Amino acid sequence: MTQTPPPRSPAAELTPLVLIVLAGFLSIGIPLPALALYVNGTLGFNAVTVGWVVGIQAFATILTRQVAGAYCDRHGPRKSVRLGLPLASVAALFYLASPFMPTPVASLAVLIVGRLIMGPAESLYLTGTMTWGIGRVGPQRTGMVMAWQGIAMFAALGVGAPIGVAVQQQWGFAGIAAITFALPLVGWVIATRMVPLAARAASAVRLSFFSVIGLIWRYGLALAFAAMPFAIITSFLVLMYSTRNWAGAGFAIAGFAAGYVAVRLFLAHLPDKMGGMTVGAVSVVIEMAGQLLLWQADSATMAFMGTVLTGIGFSLVFPSMGVEAMARVPAHARGVAVGSFLAFVDVSSGLTGPVVGLVIGLYGYQASFIVGAVACAIAVALMVSGRRRVPVS
């Protein structure tokens, strides 16, 4: 008699997806501090240009979220992941070509092409892994899925910072490009070995991208404002340290990741258990305190403490708002819903660099963190004003 294998635990179901996200986002996190050093230090462009180079990937991602979500719902998340990851490696080839261009302007142009390609690549594989995870463990564990995959996302971005600085110093930007090329292919191998989920029925009534936005805008917008401090830290903390002759900028960004991951490891169940609005509001208040500490920092130690506190506060905002958002959309539109939700983070990432770059030009690098604190205050206001709203059935 054939025995039915015992059901796998949620942890076992999510682990390969977490590894895929980790590999994919290391290919984004490792270049981030190197981009600032390369564009500003090697190519000689100013902070505003750095902001645009960092942020332009997010704009490319925004424009493809709808397509990625629809593709994921129609063809299944496995195909979405397996298409997005190789596309990320293609983007790295443009990174690799940039240092060999004849002029700084040409190098910048080729680099921007790579950033534009990385946008849809991320959109496809992240929408796919999020949707795949919810499908494997059930919508009642949406917060868990977003918490676990969020650990991989932001840990990769945080750990990638010191790795990127070290690689840049040792092998230059070409070394950054080579690592960025290889990592997504590791994720692709993992995805290829996994069993796919069934695609959604073609007869299911599909919600448009903008219909979904109408259902989840409050939670996405709160996330967008709460994500601004993270974008500020990854884009400009290295340059603030440099102008003040402080050592340890990569270590400070890793401190953000450490605080972020520690909270996720021990408290990831709270959004599913207590509700996203309550957990999210408390988290953003802590994040705001970290931004104010960075604004007033007069030493590397104080800046490090502010960065860690920001990571602790930001940790549960993503799954908290994700729980609220996913509760308001039907299962057959989950791919579009995930894509729509993530689009708010893209808007935040894309606008933060250029806007804060202008503020820095007027008032200096530390003024960027008061912008982050104000963004946190707006996020709390959105959460508090939406606490009594009843989810759509």
Side-chain angles (χ1 to χ4, degrees):
M1 179 180 292
T2 303
Q3 293 184 339
T4 302
R8 288 160 56 89
S9 68
E13 295 286 357
L14 292 178
T15 295
L17 294 172
V18 169
L19 293 176
I20 291 170
V21 174
L22 181 66
F25 268 79
L26 277 172
S27 72
I28 294 174
I30 288 175
L32 275 180
L35 283 169
L37 295 172
Y38 176 63
V39 173
N40 179 258
T42 304
L43 300 182
F45 294 98
N46 60 21
V48 175
T49 304
V50 171
W52 276 108
V53 170
V54 171
I56 200 169
Q57 176 191 326
F59 288 113
T61 309
I62 292 168
L63 295 175
T64 54
R65 285 294 188 202
Q66 179 184 10
V67 175
Y71 183 90
C72 187
D73 284 332
R74 188 175 301 114
H75 300 288
R78 183 173 183 260
K79 286 189 176 180
S80 182
V81 172
R82 294 183 69 220
L83 177 60
L85 290 168
L87 194 60
S89 293
V90 172
L93 294 178
F94 285 86
Y95 292 7
L96 186 62
S98 178
F100 301 99
M101 293 295 104
T103 66
V105 171
S107 294
L108 182 67
V110 170
L111 180 63
I112 288 173
V113 172
R115 299 292 289 164
L116 288 171
I117 294 173
M118 189 64 80
E122 180 206 323
S123 186
L124 283 163
Y125 73 71
L126 184 58
T127 301
T129 52
M130 289 284 181
T131 307
W132 207 349
I134 295 171
R136 285 170 75 94
V137 302
Q140 73 277 11
R141 294 191 177 96
T142 294
M144 180 182 182
V145 173
M146 292 193 166
W148 277 48
Q149 296 200 21
I151 288 176
M153 287 168 58
F154 293 102
L157 294 172
V159 173
I163 295 174
V165 171
V167 171
Q168 171 83 347
Q169 292 173 345
Q170 185 69 30
W171 291 290
F173 197 71
I176 295 289
I179 292 176
T180 303
F181 175 82
L183 283 167
L185 299 182
V186 174
W188 184 87
V189 171
I190 297 171
T192 300
R193 299 171 68 89
M194 293 176 64
V195 177
L197 295 178
R200 299 293 176 189
S203 60
V205 178
R206 300 190 183 278
L207 294 181
S208 70
F209 183 78
F210 293 105
S211 296
V212 174
I213 290 288
L215 296 174
I216 68 171
W217 70 268
R218 178 181 298 276
Y219 319 104
L221 195 59
L223 174 64
F225 280 108
M228 285 183 67
F230 173 71
I232 291 168
I233 286 173
T234 54
S235 299
F236 299 111
L237 189 71
V238 171
L239 297 178
M240 185 190 83
Y241 267 64
S242 178
T243 59
R244 292 186 162 233
N245 295 316
W246 292 345
F251 185 64
I253 298 176
F256 174 97
Y260 180 96
V261 171
V263 172
R264 284 283 179 95
L265 288 176
F266 296 104
L267 302 176
H269 63 285
L270 290 183
D272 287 324
K273 183 177 180 180
M274 298 177 62
M277 288 299 194
T278 299
V279 176
V282 172
S283 298
V284 176
V285 169
I286 296 171
E287 186 184 10
M288 187 192 310
Q291 289 294 283
L292 292 173
L293 194 59
L294 276 162
W295 174 46
Q296 291 295 309
D298 56 8
S299 67
T301 300
M302 191 172 176
F304 174 80
M305 292 171 59
T307 306
V308 172
L309 196 59
T310 301
I312 291 171
F314 184 53
S315 183
L316 294 182
V317 178
F318 182 70
S320 294
M321 294 300 95
V323 166
E324 298 290 340
M326 293 305 112
R328 287 157 172 83
V329 294
H332 67 263
R334 195 170 288 141
V336 173
V338 170
S340 302
F341 183 65
L342 292 171
F344 286 95
V345 182
D346 303 331
V347 171
S348 177
S349 299
L351 292 179
T352 297
V355 171
V356 175
L358 291 173
V359 173
I360 289 171
L362 294 172
Y363 303 107
Y365 284 103
Q366 281 188 265
S368 63
F369 301 110
I370 196 64
V371 176
V374 171
C376 288
I378 296 172
V380 172
L382 285 165
M383 293 177 191
V384 171
S385 65
R387 285 187 65 179
R388 296 186 179 181
R389 295 179 179 266
V390 179
V392 175
S393 58

